Amino acid sequence: MHLGRTTLSKFLIQQLDGIEDARDLGALLIDVAAAVKTISAMAAKGALGDYLGKAGTENVHGESQVTLDVTSNEVILKSCEWGGLVAGMAS
């Protein structure tokens, strides 16, 4: 592992240091990044992880939903809900 590598966490700590109320923004960005990483892993597994195919539901426009779409939405919602920094979210 390369010790000089800049991670998102390190970057946020450096950039948001000394800025009032920046901790909440940094924490929210870390929550979203963790959700994106989880969704990326699910997409990489594809059919092997049972993330492809129809979910058996329809969206508000009457379109058939895909399992990965539904699961990704749940991952984002749960990730942001856990931190307690988001009061509401629309998808």
Side-chain angles (χ1 to χ4, degrees), residues 3-75:
L3 297 176
R5 187 176 85 185
T6 300
T7 64
L8 178 61
S9 298
K10 286 180 186 178
F11 176 79
L12 289 173
I13 290 168
Q14 291 170 349
Q15 296 300 312
L16 300 177
D17 186 39
I19 300 174
E20 189 175 330
D21 297 327
R23 281 191 175 172
D24 289 345
L25 174 61
L28 180 59
L29 290 172
I30 295 297
D31 288 345
V32 171
V36 168
K37 190 173 181 180
T38 300
I39 293 166
S40 174
M42 291 184 326
K45 290 178 183 174
L48 293 176
D50 200 26
Y51 295 113
L52 296 181
K54 308 254 184 217
T57 57
E58 292 183 352
N59 63 18
V60 295
H61 303 289
E63 302 164 336
S64 180
Q65 292 183 303
V66 180
T67 304
L68 184 60
D69 292 340
V70 174
T71 308
S72 296
N73 185 56
E74 291 172 9
V75 167

Side-chain angles (χ1 to χ4, degrees), residues 28 32 73 76-77 80-81 84-91:
L28 180 59
V32 171
N73 185 56
I76 290 282
L77 289 174
C80 291
E81 177 183 64
L85 298 169
V86 177
M89 187 178 295
S91 166

